Structure formats: C-alpha cells, structure tokens
Amino acid sequence: MSVTNFPGRPSSASTSIPITKVTVPALAEMKRQSKPISALTAYDYASSRLADEAGIDLLLVGDSLAMVVLGHENTMAVTVDEMLHHTRAVRRAVRRALVVADMPFGSYHGSVAEGLANAVRFLKEAGAEAVKIEGPRIELVRALTDAEIPVFGHLGLTPQSIHRMGGYRVQARSAESAKQLKADARSLVEAGAGALVLEGVPREVAAEITAELPIPTIGIGAGPDCDGQILVFHDLLNLTFAPAAKFVRRYADVGSLIRSAIEHYREDVEHRAFPSDEESYHLAPAVRQALDASAMTGTLRKA
Ligand code: KIV
C-alpha cells in the first residue's frame, strides 16, 4: 500500500492561485492572443498531476502509451479499453489542463458510426474533453463536431500509418506533398476540428499552415512557429531506452535518477540498512511489558 492519491487537495506543490480550466475555446483564444500553448502526453495519475500542477495547458493521453508505457514496438496494438483505462487515470489527476484522448488504431478506421461510438466512450466513460484522430478523415471530423465532441486533427507523420509510410519519416518535404498537407489542414478546419497536431513536417510548412488556419496548431517535430508544442512525457524526461529524435529536448535525466535510487534501495536491503529502527512500528511499552511477562511465565512453567 502507498498513499499516492491525496483527496484533500491542494498538495504541497500547489498554491492558492485560483485555477482557470483550459477549454477548447480557451485554446483558440490563446492563438488569437499569440500565447504559446504548452502540451504534453500523459498516461497515469502521478505524472499527470505533476504536469497539471506545473501549468501545462493540454494533456494528451497519446496512443504513444503503447510504446512508452506498454512496451510495444509501435502504436498499433493499443486498444480502446486500454486507452480508456489510462484516460480515466489522467482525468482523476487533472484540474486545469484540457484532457484530450487519442483514438487508437482501428477505433475509427472502419466507419464513421464506429468512430463516433468509440469517441463517445472517451467522453462518457473516461472524462476526456476532446479526442484526436490521425489523418484527413473529414467525414468523421464533421460527424464528431455535429455530435458535440471536440476533435483535434493530426497530420504529417501519423504513427498509425507507419506501414503505409514505411517508417517514421518526416512528411511534406516535396512541394506537392506540402500542398496536399495544407489542403488537408483546411478541410479539417472546415469540418470543425478544434486544433491540429502537426508532427514531423518541415518548419516552413508548419509555419504557413499556422499562419493560415484560424485554429491552433500544436507541433511536434514541426518547428517553433506552431501555436503550441507537444512532447512525449518519456522523451522530455529521458525515460525511453532509445536515442532521442532530433526534435526532442531532454529537460531532465529521470531515467538515471530512478535507476540510481533503485540501486541504492537494493543495496540498503542487501546490507540490512533498510528499514531502520525509526522506520519501524513499535509496541506500546505496556503491551511490550505484558508480552515479556507472559513469556517469562511460560518459561517458568516449562522449567
Ligand atoms: O500519441 C502521441 O503521443 C501523439 C503525440 C506525439 C502528438 O500523438
């Protein structure tokens, strides 16, 4: 047992500053005011709570959890039920940030009706405030918008298309593909998308799209001109086991910190240095005396 969920908020890290909930319209307003949007992926209670308390505007329960949390080779395997499970944990942790859930591969690729039904689950069963889908699925974006479900688009390097793309490659490098990307972005806006994630595209292309679209763009590997930036939590903190991509900036080496803390703990256990007497519970003196006395009586009887 460990006490990680302290219902009596706020925690020591929180202040008494009143919290203004981030909403989809609030993100649009941030774009209008040229205020950069900070976004991060999130998968569990503790880390989401820390990210929320650190003031991140948008937390995306990304299907990258298939890789960084569940250890899959790519994002294809994660299921709707697994995504719901993690979205609920994030939802419980977050007070201020907008919580967006990624629709996993296969959950919206069959039909619009299926996509709509799965998206409803994310809002109804897990408390997400918006969903994200990859690719220019215009009909689905329209249907979700009509159903009052805020939807974020995701264009450029879309990891659920890894097999079609032949790997994780920067997209829209040619004039033709850059034009197509811009056209797709415009169509998503017309269909009602509330924001657009641009992943793995040249800075120039992302900058043009950002300048043209009325909705916020959130970049990852798309240069500094997007309205906001998102990173994968595990990339930011070096909790991955692979070299970082060019666009990743590691803000801390939490992987090394965790490894060395656990090594220290193991050594303490092996040397009987943990737990100490101060870290142990003790009997009340009267109980101890009573136990000692009855032990003594037992010894005398045997003798
Ligand atoms: O799943 C994810 O982490 C994402 C972000 C990289 C945008 O889709």
Side-chain angles (χ1 to χ4, degrees):
M1 183 206 74
S2 177
V3 184
T4 53
N5 186 352
F6 305 101
R9 284 165 172 268
S11 78
S12 55
S14 309
T15 64
S16 55
I17 298 167
I19 284 172
T20 308
K21 182 77 185 74
V22 179
T23 60
V24 176
L27 291 185
E29 185 55 30
M30 287 177 80
K31 174 170 179 122
R32 279 192 288 277
Q33 293 183 9
S34 301
K35 261 178 103 179
I37 297 163
S38 58
L40 191 61
T41 64
Y43 315 103
D44 64 32
Y45 180 87
S47 59
S48 305
R49 184 159 166 182
L50 292 173
D52 192 45
E53 290 178 356
I56 291 290
D57 298 313
L58 187 166
L59 287 171
L60 169 71
V61 188
D63 63 353
S64 49
L65 83 82
M67 300 167 78
V68 297
V69 176
L70 303 178
H72 292 291
E73 201 176 310
N74 55 47
T75 62
M76 310 301 272
V78 71
T79 65
V80 170
D81 286 337
E82 286 168 334
M83 292 296 299
L84 286 169
H85 173 79
H86 287 270
T87 305
R88 285 187 203 106
V90 172
R91 175 70 278 164
R92 287 193 281 269
V94 170
R95 284 196 298 169
R96 177 183 171 273
L98 185 77
V99 176
V100 182
D102 229 352
M103 301 270 290
F105 177 69
S107 68
Y108 59 96
H109 298 75
S111 67
V112 168
E114 189 190 19
L116 185 54
N118 281 320
V120 166
R121 291 191 70 193
F122 280 100
L123 272 72
K124 220 178 170 69
E125 296 177 32
E129 294 158 309
V131 296
K132 175 170 83 57
I133 59 173
E134 295 186 5
R137 293 175 187 271
I138 308 306
E139 229 194 303
L140 177 59
V141 171
R142 197 165 285 126
L144 294 172
T145 307
D146 286 348
E148 312 296 345
I149 299 175
V151 51
F152 287 15
H154 182 164
L155 295 177
L157 193 172
T158 46
Q160 292 173 12
S161 315
I162 183 177
H163 298 309
R164 178 177 56 72
M165 293 183 310
Y168 298 119
R169 301 183 201 294
V170 174
Q171 302 292 300
R173 280 188 186 275
S174 69
E176 203 49 46
S177 57
K179 261 194 229 158
Q180 185 59 53
L181 191 80
K182 284 192 219 167
D184 290 343
R186 278 183 216 116
S187 304
L188 285 171
V189 172
E190 279 160 24
L196 176 63
V197 171
L198 289 172
E199 178 167 358
V201 298
R203 171 181 181 170
E204 298 78 7
V205 176
E208 279 187 31
I209 292 175
T210 301
E212 185 185 324
L213 296 194
I215 61 170
T217 59
I218 313 287
I220 174 163
D225 308 301
C226 295
D227 297 305
Q229 297 292 330
I230 186 163
L231 277 178
V232 168
F233 181 89
H234 293 61
D235 284 340
L236 179 110
L237 297 174
N238 194 19
L239 284 167
T240 58
F241 299 87
K246 175 181 174 144
F247 62 82
V248 168
R249 189 179 296 175
R250 300 234 195 260
Y251 283 85
D253 189 1
V254 174
S256 299
L257 198 71
I258 291 177
R259 187 179 285 110
S260 100
I262 294 173
E263 277 169 4
H264 195 167
Y265 162 70
R266 176 184 53 73
E267 283 162 11
D268 278 357
V269 170
E270 288 172 359
H271 294 104
R272 298 195 184 283
F274 174 83
S276 65
D277 189 53
E278 290 73 31
E279 288 156 334
S280 307
Y281 297 105
H282 292 277
L283 289 173
V287 178
R288 179 145 196 195
Q289 265 173 16
L291 280 177
D292 286 350
S294 66
M296 180 69 77
T297 317
T299 314
L300 288 177
R301 265 203 212 111
K302 270 188 207 146

